[in-house]
């Protein structure tokens, strides 16, 4: 039977988010080691997303929005505003610093935010890659429309489609809208897989799941029936044989490497975010 992982609430730069991964019952789903639902939340003028500069190692971050926008800046010099349907994919590798804020025009008016942020662990042999950042417009992402189901492949490979986002291990991350009574098939039978209804309801082996339930599929769960039309995120990938350590914003297969990253951040050895270097988030010990 499919298992539901319940979210916990956390504060992210003045915004309450619902965090599913890492979970006490399941640290990772494929390479996905962190899963946050941002919003939905409405901001008055003068307030908004305000995540100060902070570091990462050993992972890729994935931002995907349903509503609103976020302004990304990083220590490589990227300065990009992400909008719904686009993909921000930042590979930290051996170390990067970034911030997530908003443009003046967004913050000066009433606005909303709604979306997802994930961290994807890098395989051990690739954990010290040079950092990089990719922004992919929604028009560049592959899609599929068939029998009441519309899918957009965000990263990875699924249903014969391949995302232009460069990844480092087998995975998939799909945005789905589906009509009542349509079917959603599991894209890779051997991959760890989860489905997260944003809206609507699905049936899996006679059990109904709805919005906000992060459903971890069993090996036998191969197809889902949509009971109420809605939007669904499905993700997963090849299971990691060894689970890396996760501390604060750092992922590594070595505790010593995490201690080094902590010391480097405390001692100012990470590069500054270009255009946003007046403040930072202190180390969480």
């Amino acid at each position: 039977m499919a298992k539901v992982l319940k979210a916990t609430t956390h504060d992210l730069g003045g915004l309450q988010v619902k965090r599913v991964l890492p979970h006490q019952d399941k640290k990772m789903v494929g390479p996905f080691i962190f899963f946050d639902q941002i919003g939905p939340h409405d901001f008055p003028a003068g307030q908004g997303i305000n995540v100060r500069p902070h570091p990462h190692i050993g992972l890729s971050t994935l931002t995907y929005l349903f509503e609103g926008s976020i302004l990304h800046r990083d220590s490589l010099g990227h300065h990009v505003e992400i909008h719904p349907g686009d993909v921000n994919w930042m590979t930290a590798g051996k170390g990067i610093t970034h911030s997530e804020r908003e443009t003046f025009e967004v913050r000066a008016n009433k606005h909303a935010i709604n979306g997802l942020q994930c961290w994807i662990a890098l395989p051990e042999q690739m954990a010290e890659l040079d950092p990089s950042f990719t922004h992919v417009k929604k028009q560049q992402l592959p899609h599929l429309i068939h029998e009441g189901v519309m899918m957009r492949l965000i990263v990875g490979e699924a249903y014969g489609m391949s995302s232009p986002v460069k990844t480092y291990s087998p995975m998939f991350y799909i945005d789905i809208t589906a009509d009542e009574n349509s079917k959603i098939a599991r894209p890779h039978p051997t991959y760890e897989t989860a489905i997260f209804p944003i809206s609507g309801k699905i049936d899996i082996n006679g059990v109904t799941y709805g919005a906000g339930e992060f459903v971890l599929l069993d090996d036998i769960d191969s197809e889902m029936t949509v009971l109420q039309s809605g939007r669904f995120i499905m993700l997963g990938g090849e299971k990691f044989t060894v689970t890396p350590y996760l501390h604060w914003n750092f992922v590594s297969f070595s505790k010593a490497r995490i201690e080094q990253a902590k010391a480097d951040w405390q001692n100012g050895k990470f590069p500054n975010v270009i255009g946003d270097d007046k403040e930072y988030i202190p180390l969480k010990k």
Side-chain angles (χ1 to χ4, degrees), residues 34-252:
F34 182 95
F35 183 98
D36 264 6
Q37 182 180 18
I38 309 167
H41 188 83
D42 294 312
F43 290 111
Q47 296 183 17
I49 298 290
N50 191 35
V51 182
R52 294 166 292 162
H54 58 281
H56 290 286
I57 65 165
L59 55 84
S60 295
T61 65
L62 170 62
T63 303
Y64 186 77
L65 300 179
F66 307 132
E67 184 179 9
S69 66
I70 294 176
L71 183 63
H72 166 96
R73 292 186 182 94
D74 63 39
S75 51
L76 299 176
H78 297 100
H79 183 171
V80 180
E81 187 178 16
I82 183 173
H83 297 279
D86 300 341
V87 177
N88 272 6
W89 177 270
M90 185 183 75
T91 296
K94 62 186 180 183
I96 197 169
T97 311
H98 77 134
S99 64
E100 294 162 297
R101 311 225 197 216
E102 295 168 337
T103 66
F104 186 94
E105 287 75 17
V106 169
R107 199 173 181 86
N109 296 282
K110 292 180 180 179
H111 59 285
I113 193 72
N114 186 12
L116 300 171
Q117 285 196 320
C118 299
W119 296 352
I120 295 90
L122 290 170
E124 187 170 7
Q125 67 274 20
M126 297 181 183
E128 297 295 322
L129 287 172
D130 287 336
S132 62
F133 174 80
T134 301
H135 176 81
V136 179
K137 293 286 191 181
K138 60 186 176 184
Q139 295 87 349
Q140 299 171 270
L141 297 171
H143 68 274
L144 182 152
I145 304 171
H146 181 67
E147 295 183 347
V149 178
M150 179 183 292
M151 297 183 175
R152 173 188 290 150
L153 180 64
I154 303 164
V155 296
E157 297 184 351
Y159 307 112
M161 301 182 291
S162 181
S163 169
V165 178
K166 180 176 176 56
T167 55
Y168 298 95
S169 61
M171 72 185 74
F172 62 90
Y173 188 89
I174 311 166
D175 190 2
I176 304 168
T177 63
D179 291 343
E180 187 176 328
N181 297 321
S182 59
K183 305 288 185 181
I184 301 172
R186 186 172 183 158
H188 295 281
T190 61
Y191 286 2
E192 292 189 312
T193 302
I195 188 164
F196 184 69
I198 304 300
S199 61
K201 294 180 181 179
I202 53 171
D203 173 272
I204 304 173
N205 289 331
V207 181
T208 300
Y209 303 93
E213 294 187 292
F214 189 93
V215 187
L216 187 64
L217 302 187
D218 264 343
D219 293 340
I220 60 172
D221 300 326
S222 59
E223 187 177 69
M224 292 144 275
T225 301
V226 178
L227 300 179
Q228 182 184 86
S229 61
R231 187 174 195 171
F232 311 89
I233 295 291
M234 188 158 56
L235 61 88
E238 198 170 83
K239 184 177 181 178
F240 270 40
T241 54
V242 178
T243 301
Y245 300 108
L246 170 62
H247 178 82
W248 194 39
N249 302 315
F250 305 135
V251 170
S252 179

